[in-house]
Amino acid sequence: LQLRTHRRRRGILLAILCYPFQCLFPSEQLCRSFCFGAIDGMLTGAGILSACVGLGLVSQIISSVEESTSVKWIPIALTLSATFSDAICMAIGHVWSTHLDAGAAYAERKEELHNFQICRSDAKARLVDTLLMNGMLKIDAMCIADTLEGYPDMFVSALIGGGIGGLDSGDDGLGRAPRENAPLRQTEPSTSYGTGVAAQHSFKYESYSGSSDFCDDPDQKALSETLAASRLEGFFMMLSFSSFSVIPGLIYLLLSSMIHDAVYPGDRDNLVGLLTLGLTAGVMFVLGGWKSCFYSSGWSLFGLKNTGVLLVCVATAYSFGSLCSILIGS
């Protein structure tokens, strides 16, 4: 009982901490895109900074802090230039992949509607076969096919996998979107720690009965809204990825300015690096807690996972940078 109460208190605390971030975004999908973009940006920025430290390019920063020089801004400028161009490519790739997936789903649905109007018996036979493969009795499958024959949009949704007979339990079982003004339903995005966030889409279309005008095409409306949402998600992803990538460099520069005269020069580089790693790991832990709001796991587990991935990224980048420095120097 005490453990359950403790978990409930941690869940309430996490919800309170995540609430201000969720209020900044009009939808959960935008909040999720921003969160994943921020995590990837932090990892990329930390990797670039670690590689610069391993190559010895950052050794001039601490020695030139007191001087009026722009050398100390080189790692930040390098990181921002690389990540901003990468973020633009991420956004374009996200919009383009969504356009291809949504266009293919739209074309498939229109083709099935056309085939349904031309040869209903063949379409009903294929629907019955689909339901039978999912474990439904033949008599029940035939009854469902006969019933849905009078509702073309529901019939096509069931035929292409819209929720009948256990095909997809994500909607209401009739191929209609469960949320208001949200014809597209998306599944959980993949937890990629690469240069971008990959999302697996499952397209759900509105019913014709949900349209205010029966002359309107709900499929075309769903396609337009999906593409518009993907453009907005790509923008938020690009913004968070490029902005959060400069945080490790800014922390390093700020700490080097603060302890420039407080520590012996021989220990300054190590101290600044360790403090930067610790603060960056703290930011990653908080982002991991925010990420847990979109899943059922605990916030501490996601925070530790993010921190572990950060340590692996930093160690790999620093080691490779040091190796390249030795090779170049030799």
Side-chain angles (χ1 to χ4, degrees), residues 114-135:
H114 179 69
N115 295 334
F116 176 77
Q117 297 296 337
I118 294 177
C119 185
R120 296 199 174 192
S121 59
D122 183 47
K124 290 175 62 176
R126 288 193 291 121
L127 177 59
V128 171
D129 292 339
T130 302
L131 297 177
L132 290 177
M133 287 188 298
N134 285 271

Side-chain angles (χ1 to χ4, degrees), residues 26-30 32 170-172 175-188 201-207 210 221 225-226 229 233:
S27 67
E28 179 182 347
Q29 190 62 30
L30 293 181
R32 184 181 314 200
D171 53 15
D172 62 354
R176 293 174 294 188
R179 294 175 295 177
E180 184 179 0
N181 299 327
L184 169 66
R185 180 184 178 93
Q186 295 178 331
T187 58
E188 299 291 343
H201 298 283
S202 177
F203 300 99
K204 300 290 183 290
Y205 290 90
E206 287 181 333
S207 170
K221 176 184 176 184
E225 292 184 356
T226 299
E233 292 168 10

Side-chain angles (χ1 to χ4, degrees), residues 32-330:
R32 184 181 314 200
S33 300
F34 190 91
C35 178
F36 280 98
I39 292 175
D40 285 347
M42 287 288 296
L43 292 173
T44 306
I48 294 176
L49 180 64
S50 301
C52 292
V53 174
L55 287 169
L57 300 178
V58 193
S59 58
Q60 303 180 34
I61 294 179
I62 299 179
S63 60
S64 61
V65 166
E66 293 182 347
E67 303 176 5
S68 178
T69 178
S70 59
V71 177
K72 57 186 178 182
W73 295 102
I74 290 180
I76 296 178
L78 177 63
T79 301
L80 186 60
S81 301
T83 54
F84 185 72
S85 60
D86 193 8
I88 293 178
C89 297
M90 284 170 48
I92 295 175
H94 176 73
V95 174
W96 179 248
S97 61
T98 303
H99 175 74
L100 294 179
D101 293 340
Y106 176 79
E108 179 185 6
R109 186 176 177 84
K110 285 302 179 184
E111 182 181 0
E112 291 295 342
L113 282 172
H114 179 69
N115 295 334
F116 176 77
Q117 297 296 337
I118 294 177
C119 185
R120 296 199 174 192
S121 59
D122 183 47
K124 290 175 62 176
R126 288 193 291 121
L127 177 59
V128 171
D129 292 339
T130 302
L131 297 177
L132 290 177
M133 287 188 298
N134 285 271
M136 185 175 293
L137 297 177
K138 186 175 182 179
I139 185 173
D140 295 333
M142 295 178 64
C143 290
I144 291 178
D146 292 335
T147 302
L148 294 180
E149 185 179 2
Y151 306 92
D153 61 319
M154 298 181 184
F155 187 96
V156 172
S157 297
L159 186 60
I160 63 178
I164 298 295
L167 293 175
D168 189 348
S169 59
D171 53 15
D172 62 354
L174 298 176
R176 293 174 294 188
R179 294 175 295 177
E180 184 179 0
N181 299 327
L184 169 66
R185 180 184 178 93
Q186 295 178 331
T187 58
E188 299 291 343
S190 61
T191 55
S192 171
Y193 288 101
T195 57
V197 182
Q200 301 295 331
H201 298 283
S202 177
F203 300 99
K204 300 290 183 290
Y205 290 90
E206 287 181 333
S207 170
Y208 283 85
S209 60
S211 178
S212 59
D213 188 353
F214 284 96
C215 296
D216 294 338
D217 187 354
D219 296 340
Q220 183 64 41
K221 176 184 176 184
L223 178 63
S224 301
E225 292 184 356
T226 299
L227 297 179
S230 68
R231 289 191 291 268
L232 193 58
E233 292 168 10
F235 174 76
F236 273 81
M237 191 186 307
M238 178 185 67
L239 180 64
S240 62
F241 182 83
S242 56
S243 59
F244 275 78
S245 64
V246 299
I247 291 181
L250 291 176
I251 293 176
Y252 191 95
L253 181 61
L254 179 62
L255 291 176
S256 62
S257 302
M258 293 175 58
I259 66 174
H260 182 262
D261 298 327
V263 183
Y264 183 72
D267 301 330
R268 212 151 37 197
D269 293 348
N270 296 331
L271 180 60
V272 172
L274 290 176
L275 291 177
T276 302
L277 180 60
L279 292 177
T280 305
V283 176
M284 286 293 294
F285 187 85
V286 174
L287 290 176
W290 185 16
K291 178 182 175 182
S292 67
C293 296
F294 312 115
Y295 298 94
S296 58
S297 299
W299 61 272
S300 58
L301 179 61
F302 273 88
L304 293 176
K305 285 183 178 179
N306 277 11
T307 305
V309 172
L310 173 68
L311 295 178
V312 173
C313 177
V314 169
T316 304
Y318 180 81
S319 301
F320 192 78
S322 301
L323 179 60
C324 291
S325 178
I326 295 173
L327 296 177
I328 294 174
S330 60

